[in-house]
């Protein structure tokens, strides 16, 4: 049998090392020799002896936060010996290596595909968010040493924050936890309703300090209890909810 389909670039990529690696730009290969966490429903194929176990939002504390905020990652734990292939609606996939206690990354939960169990993570309120925006009020913070795979809708831009930087909160994928964040009304920047034209987003995120911001060329639709991009249901933006969540979760 002969076809361009069988070209070397489409063949399974082999490696002697276990862990997360790219099969191609839209497909993640997990060479499993133990445990890895991944988004539920992301598995498209696997080989070998692999067990899949639903993890909710990753523990009771994170589960409660996810239920209250609508944010988080619907996780599954993959355990065993084999190869697992993960994808998310043909989104582009990028690998990020956190290299120690001084590395920290704040990621929109909708953009988390998989990560190694050596990383610690939690759901955190975005500093300065308050009730001013329809998205991105809560993010998933990762720290420690290990590899994480994120997804982007299209090819992103990585902005080096060496001056005040602004982004549509529905297009911001992740940023350094060392950055200070805030929200500003779009009309105060002269943008009016031009920003977030597909969602009516009236606010823009502001970043200051030293670090980077990853922005994708697409806006994630709002969702979640108070308008996050997680999997919860929208239930308005009552001020009492903000106070309750702020007291429970705190800022970062």
């Amino acid at each position: 049998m002969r076809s361009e389909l069988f070209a070397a670039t489409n063949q399974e990529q082999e490696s002697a090392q276990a862990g997360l690696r790219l099969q191609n730009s839209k497909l993640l290969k997990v060479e499993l020799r133990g445990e890895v966490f991944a988004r539920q429903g992301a598995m498209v194929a696997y080989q070998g002896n692999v067990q899949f176990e639903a993890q909710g939002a990753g523990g009771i504390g994170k589960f409660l936060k996810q239920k209250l905020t609508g944010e988080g990652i619907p996780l599954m734990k993959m355990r065993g010996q084999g190869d697992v292939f993960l994808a998310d609606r043909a989104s582009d996939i990028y690998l990020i290596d956190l290299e120690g206690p001084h590395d920290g990354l704040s990621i929109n939960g909708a953009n988390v595909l998989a990560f190694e169990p050596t990383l610690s993570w939690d759901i955190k309120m975005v500093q300065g968010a308050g009730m001013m925006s329809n998205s991105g009020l809560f993010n998933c913070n990762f720290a420690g040493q290990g590899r994480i795979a994120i997804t982007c809708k299209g090819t992103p831009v990585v902005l080096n924050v060496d001056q005040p930087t602004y982004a549509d909160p529905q297009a911001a994928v992740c940023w350094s936890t060392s950055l200070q964040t805030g929200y500003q009304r779009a009309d105060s920047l002269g943008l009016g309703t031009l920003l977030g034209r597909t969602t009516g987003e009236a606010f823009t995120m502001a970043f200051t300090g030293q670090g980077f911001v990853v922005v994708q060329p697409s806006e994630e639709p709002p969702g979640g209890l108070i308008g996050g991009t997680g999997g919860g249901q929208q239930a308005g933006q009552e001020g009492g909810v903000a106070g309750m969540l702020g007291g429970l979760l705190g800022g970062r």
Side-chain angles (χ1 to χ4, degrees):
M1 190 176 295
R2 185 179 304 168
S3 170
E4 292 182 1
L5 174 65
F6 304 122
T9 53
N10 293 339
Q11 298 297 318
E12 181 179 354
Q13 304 298 311
E14 301 290 349
S15 173
Q17 283 189 318
L20 281 59
R21 62 193 308 271
L22 293 180
Q23 167 67 24
N24 57 51
S25 64
K26 301 181 185 299
L27 197 61
L28 179 72
K29 181 181 181 181
V30 181
E31 299 185 355
L32 193 61
R33 307 294 184 266
E35 296 181 352
V36 167
F37 290 100
R39 172 177 295 279
Q40 289 184 22
M43 187 274 293
V44 296
Y46 74 95
Q47 296 175 306
N49 182 19
V50 180
Q51 291 82 45
F52 300 88
E53 178 184 346
Q55 296 291 295
I60 185 63
K62 298 183 182 72
F63 175 79
L64 290 174
K65 290 181 183 181
Q66 184 182 43
K67 289 301 181 184
L68 283 171
T69 65
E71 291 287 339
I73 316 166
L75 286 177
M76 62 181 178
K77 180 188 291 184
M78 306 184 301
R79 180 189 294 119
Q81 304 284 321
D83 298 326
V84 184
F85 295 88
L86 305 174
D88 181 16
R89 295 171 292 177
S91 298
D92 293 322
I93 301 172
Y94 296 88
L95 298 176
I96 300 175
D97 291 309
L98 299 187
E99 298 180 326
H102 300 296
D103 269 358
L105 196 61
S106 180
I107 310 177
N108 187 324
N111 297 94
V112 176
L113 182 62
F115 58 92
E116 295 178 338
T118 54
L119 292 170
S120 61
W121 71 283
D122 202 356
I123 301 171
K124 295 287 188 179
M125 178 181 287
V126 175
Q127 181 185 26
M131 290 300 293
M132 294 191 297
S133 175
N134 266 353
S135 89
L137 289 176
F138 295 85
N139 259 25
C140 299
N141 278 18
F142 288 84
Q145 188 165 1
R147 176 167 286 187
I148 183 168
I150 67 170
T151 60
C152 294
K153 303 296 189 296
T155 304
V157 59
V158 179
L159 301 176
N160 182 32
V161 182
D162 52 4
Q163 57 185 320
T165 301
Y166 304 88
D168 186 325
Q170 294 172 18
V173 172
C174 61
W175 55 86
S176 310
T177 54
S178 58
L179 293 175
Q180 291 79 53
T181 61
Y183 281 75
Q184 292 189 349
R185 293 191 61 88
D187 52 15
S188 72
L189 301 174
L191 294 173
T193 58
L194 297 178
L195 189 66
R197 59 192 179 281
T198 61
T199 60
E201 182 65 63
F203 297 88
T204 184
M205 285 195 71
F207 301 91
T208 56
Q210 296 294 318
F212 66 88
V213 181
V214 178
V215 180
Q216 66 185 4
S218 175
E219 295 173 327
E220 288 295 317
L225 177 64
I226 52 175
T229 54
Q233 295 179 342
Q234 284 184 296
Q237 296 190 1
E238 291 83 355
V241 175
M244 176 184 68
L245 294 175
L248 174 64
L249 303 179
R252 71 166 179 250

